[in-house]
Amino acid sequence: MAGSSRAAVRTAVRRLASDNIMPAGLSPLERISTKVGRPASDLRTERVVDWLATKELRKPDDIATCAGELTQNPQLEVLDMSGNQFGKEAAGSCADILNGCPSLRGLRLDVNNLRDGIAPIAEAVAAHKGLEWLSIRANAIKGATCESIADAIAHSVSLKWLDISSNAFGPVGGAAIADGLARAGTSSKLEYLNFGAASIRPSGAQKFAEALADDGVPLKSLILRENFVGTEGALHFASMLKCNTALRELTLCDNNIDKEGAAAIAEAMEANSTLQYLNIRLNDFNVQKPILGMLREAKERSDANRASPLELKLL
């Protein structure tokens, strides 16, 4: 019975927090403790802090309070503050966490409406010596703001994994990020890049394909779903695949690619013996059986020159 009572109290406290209804007179730390359902002092000691996600920490003061505690944590490795919608006003506190936590290896800030507030965060990422992965999905990041992300890619000595998907930054943003990769060249540590649903369109695809045509860029996995690159974009990526030997995984599903683009991709498959996974589902050619047959035959011919068969996703 006592356990059930305590559980009921915790549930009631969380409901109050989610409604932003706080008892009067709480200190900033007490406010955080009430919202997250555990002592705020844990922010100073835990290696993995994934319990700040979706906790209605919408006020910049909440994030500033968390930052003050987290920067006192000498062993923090993973931090997830996703889904709080705190906006760009709290971006400076996020940057403070990066600057004050040299042990941090992974940071997730998805769905926080950061907008151009990503700039100070990206600057801190560029300067950090140990951050290996960063997720900033769905933050309303626009094209011009991607210059700061590009600088982070160009200058980071540790970043291996980056998810900036579901930010409709368009061709301008795509070109900026491509430039960041090109500037980093062989010194880049980035292996995984996801910018699905970013609307880079054919012109952004061209810039990206040109950057990856330089075999010095070591990117291994690229996800470009739902970017409206069309057949023109597919032609650019097919040309890139003929000379790139670093890329292992490429996703181009749902990009309005027609049979001309499919034919170019088929030709590229035969020329490239290092790609291991290719996803071209949900494109305009996928309903045409002769085109699908052509792609399967190209894969079979390609497999003859590979150490292991190419994994091809068509349907």
Side-chain angles (χ1 to χ4, degrees):
M1 181 65 70
S4 299
S5 298
R6 284 195 294 271
V9 170
R10 285 197 296 270
T11 300
V13 167
R14 291 193 184 100
R15 186 177 297 115
L16 284 171
S18 66
D19 293 338
N20 254 349
I21 301 170
M22 286 287 147
L26 289 182
S27 71
L29 288 178
E30 288 171 335
R31 176 184 172 84
I32 297 302
S33 295
T34 301
K35 278 181 169 284
V36 303
R38 62 188 294 169
S41 58
D42 288 352
L43 294 170
R44 294 188 175 213
T45 59
E46 298 294 311
R47 290 182 181 274
V48 177
V49 177
D50 55 6
W51 34 270
L52 294 179
T54 61
K55 289 298 189 295
E56 298 288 334
L57 300 173
R58 297 186 178 222
K59 295 185 177 182
D61 287 350
D62 288 341
I63 307 306
T65 299
C66 290
E69 295 300 294
L70 289 164
T71 52
Q72 303 301 311
N73 186 338
Q75 58 182 5
L76 180 66
E77 294 181 1
V78 175
L79 174 62
D80 186 351
M81 301 177 73
S82 299
N84 285 299
Q85 295 286 355
F86 43 69
K88 66 179 182 180
E89 293 77 13
S93 294
C94 295
D96 289 343
I97 294 169
L98 280 159
N99 292 328
C101 297
S103 60
L104 194 62
R105 295 294 176 264
L107 176 62
R108 191 177 298 278
L109 293 171
D110 305 335
V111 199
N112 279 311
N113 196 29
L114 288 166
R115 295 167 285 164
D116 57 358
I118 202 66
I121 296 171
E123 184 178 349
V125 169
H128 203 283
K129 304 301 183 186
L131 192 74
E132 295 180 355
W133 63 266
L134 172 68
S135 185
I136 46 176
R137 290 189 307 106
N139 271 295
I141 298 169
K142 300 302 182 184
T145 310
C146 288
E147 293 286 352
S148 60
I149 299 172
D151 285 341
I153 291 172
H155 296 112
S156 173
V157 298
S158 58
L159 193 64
K160 297 179 180 179
W161 192 100
L162 176 62
D163 187 343
I164 51 176
S165 60
S166 300
N167 289 292
F169 44 71
V172 171
I177 293 165
D179 177 66
L181 277 172
R183 281 188 283 143
T186 57
S187 66
S188 174
K189 298 294 187 295
L190 196 65
E191 297 182 354
Y192 171 97
L193 177 57
N194 182 351
F195 59 103
S199 297
I200 68 168
R201 300 186 182 274
S203 59
Q206 178 179 1
K207 296 295 185 182
F208 218 90
E210 288 172 353
L212 292 180
D214 179 356
D215 220 20
V217 177
L219 192 70
K220 290 183 171 59
S221 182
L222 175 62
I223 298 177
L224 279 166
R225 60 174 178 79
E226 298 178 68
N227 265 284
F228 306 102
V229 305
T231 288
E232 183 182 344
L235 295 174
H236 292 306
F237 282 114
S239 178
M240 175 271 292
L241 286 172
K242 291 179 180 179
C243 54
N244 180 291
T245 61
L247 203 63
R248 297 293 181 266
E249 300 178 354
L250 176 62
T251 296
L252 288 173
C253 60
D254 204 0
N255 268 296
N256 307 113
I257 300 169
D258 67 10
K259 62 181 182 180
E260 181 185 357
I265 291 172
E267 184 179 335
M269 271 196 288
E270 293 192 60
N272 182 305
S273 61
T274 53
L275 193 70
Q276 297 171 355
Y277 174 90
L278 177 61
N279 187 337
I280 47 177
R281 298 175 59 248
L282 304 175
N283 280 293
D284 294 350
F285 62 80
N286 291 127
V287 296
Q288 302 179 47
K289 289 184 179 180
I291 304 301
L292 296 177
M294 174 197 67
L295 286 162
R296 291 188 180 104
E297 290 171 5
K299 171 194 150 32
E300 289 175 3
R301 291 191 295 270
S302 174
D303 286 345
N305 298 317
R306 296 173 179 273
S308 58
L310 172 70
E311 185 177 355
L312 178 63
K313 297 293 184 182
L314 288 176
L315 297 173

